[in-house]
Amino acid sequence: MSIVEFKKVTKRFGQVTILDEVDLSIEPGEKVVLIGPSGSGKSTLLRCINALEEINGGDLIVDGISVKGSGRMVRLIRQEAGMVFQQFNLFPQMTALQNVAFGPHRVRGETRQEARSQALAMLAKVGLADRVNNYPSELSGGQQQRVAIARALAVKPKLMLFDEPTSALDPELRHEVLRVMQALAEEGMTMIVVTHEMAFARKVGTRLIFMEGGKIAVDGPPRELLENPQNPRLKEFLQHVA
Amino acid sequence: MTFDWSVIWQALPELLKGARLTVLIALAGLAGGLVIGFAAGLARAYGNVVLNAIAFVYVEIIRGTPIIVQVMFIYFALPILADIRINPLAAAIIAIIVNAGAYIAEIVRGTFLSIHKGLREAGLALGLPFWKVLLYIIGPLAFRRMIPALGNQFIVSLKDTSLFIVIGVGELTRQGQEIMAANFRAVEIWSAVAMLYLIMTGVLTLILRVTEKRMRIL
Ligand SMILES: Nc1ncnc2c1ncn2[C@@H]1O[C@H](COP(=O)(O)OP(=O)(O)O)[C@@H](O)[C@H]1O
Ligand SMILES: [Mg+2]
């Protein structure tokens, strides 16, 4: 069974149609890389999956639950679909450890002690064992984004959504975040990643989707598409990002 | 004229009694005002159309009328309209609650909405219900930003209690007025009254400073 299934999903902001009857099925274990020009609806597509945006037409099933369900159902979807934002969005009043322990404690209902030890393990996994007591403002961008990944993972999602996770970072800080994401992919996590990192798409992605004008214009294996793009606009897009 | 300190010493017990009442009205009024203010402010920021409209009308009515008119209304008009008896002290406390509540509502609304929208999304994306996002994430951040404005409102409300002289509550200003009427020592009495207000607002300022220092303002 697909873990994410778009069925003719339409999303509008006012009069403007951002997603136009999009059909898309994603299977467990896939690493989908989503690319496309700015404003083509990549973030919107991602945010429909965890219901941060409400869809206007069609249906969208995540892990067997419709995003159009009750508030409780939507929260279940969000617990199964972790999200990492371009701007990190760490809770500034909490240390790295508190940020990561927050989900297990407040969402999954673990005891403080249990949540704390899970958070420590998760921070160690993203290479931040020595920064657990620092506040976000005391961390570099790359470190903050790794805390954000740990925070999402701590809720034990089945699926991870990344919205341009390295776009706000200086080039020399990007690789540390990409490395963590690659390790996660190697563990078998299902991932949907909006990114301009074509090297990552080629190395880690199992599927590349090019969006344009509210539709999925190209969908296929990354290596092939990147080396020999048939779609002229994908070709042009790749020349711009490369 | 000579400044006669003995006048102040003689008046001090009565003045302190008044000051105690001033503090009581301000504390009770502000405690209630915080409750009303949070409710109305959150209704303005996040409530549905109906809640939002109710809170909006409340805030506009209170901000648009003088507090002295409000307390007169509560003390003289409300008993006629609602057929209830209300004592001056209760009227004074209610007036502060209602008045401070409206201003605090605006402070609450403004600070909650000033918190970066990404944090709200990050909380929701973890699978939390919205009220928990407010309680655990937005609220604590908004509260830190609120402290200076709240402090300001506390001081204004504390001083506003002096207006309740008009309904005969024996707070500090009223006590000063009565002593002065008996001994005609305006300079000494009003100096002493002013000093007592300064001490009260000074203590308040100090408490706020310490609170602000102990919290990381973010
Ligand atoms: N909350 C919103 N209200 C109105 N328009 C929006 C909103 N969010 C996004 N849009 C518009 O939707 C379009 C797609 O946005 P987005 O999904 O962020 O694109 P991408 O991530 O591909 O750059 C853009 O034209 C953007 O201006
Ligand atoms: Mg985007």
Side-chain angles (χ1 to χ4, degrees), chain A residues 42-43 163-164:
Chain A
K42 306 180 296 293
S43 298
D163 193 358
E164 302 202 31

Side-chain angles (χ1 to χ4, degrees), chain A residues 85-97:
Chain A
F85 301 85
Q86 183 175 350
Q87 299 296 340
F88 328 136
N89 294 342
L90 290 178
F91 308 133
Q93 75 273 37
M94 302 181 198
T95 63
L97 183 63

Side-chain angles (χ1 to χ4, degrees), chain A residues 13 18 37-45 53 163-164:
Chain A
F13 284 115
I18 308 298
S38 176
S40 59
K42 306 180 296 293
S43 298
T44 305
L45 185 140
E53 302 291 355
D163 193 358
E164 302 202 31

Side-chain angles (χ1 to χ4, degrees), chain B residues 55-187:
Chain B
F56 176 78
V57 169
Y58 159 63
V59 169
E60 291 311 312
I61 287 177
I62 298 305
R63 287 201 310 181
T65 54
I67 186 171
I68 199 154
V69 174
Q70 291 160 16
V71 74
M72 294 288 218
F73 189 90
I74 292 166
Y75 187 56
F76 294 112
L78 210 54
I80 298 169
L81 288 175
D83 197 27
I84 45 165
R85 293 174 70 92
I86 207 161
N87 69 45
L89 180 61
I93 292 173
I94 294 170
I96 294 289
I97 291 176
V98 170
N99 183 270
Y103 289 95
I104 291 173
E106 285 296 282
I107 295 170
V108 168
R109 179 176 75 96
T111 48
F112 270 74
L113 292 181
S114 78
I115 303 298
H116 179 47
K117 163 170 150 290
L119 296 177
R120 165 179 168 173
E121 292 188 343
L124 290 175
L126 290 173
L128 278 186
F130 183 54
W131 70 270
K132 283 193 181 175
V133 173
L134 284 184
L135 184 63
Y136 297 128
I137 300 167
I138 315 287
L141 288 168
F143 188 68
R144 289 162 160 83
R145 285 193 194 170
M146 231 178 267
I147 292 173
L150 277 184
N152 209 30
Q153 181 58 42
F154 289 2
I155 288 171
V156 168
S157 288
L158 183 102
K159 293 187 299 180
D160 277 351
T161 58
S162 67
L163 297 168
F164 301 149
I165 192 170
V166 297
I167 56 167
V169 181
E171 43 68 52
L172 178 55
T173 302
R174 173 83 181 196
Q175 294 295 80
Q177 171 73 24
E178 281 177 3
I179 297 165
M180 215 263 318
N183 67 11
F184 303 106
R185 304 296 299 203
V187 174

Side-chain angles (χ1 to χ4, degrees), chain A residues 9 19 44 46 56:
Chain A
V9 169
L19 299 180
T44 305
L46 216 54
N56 303 109

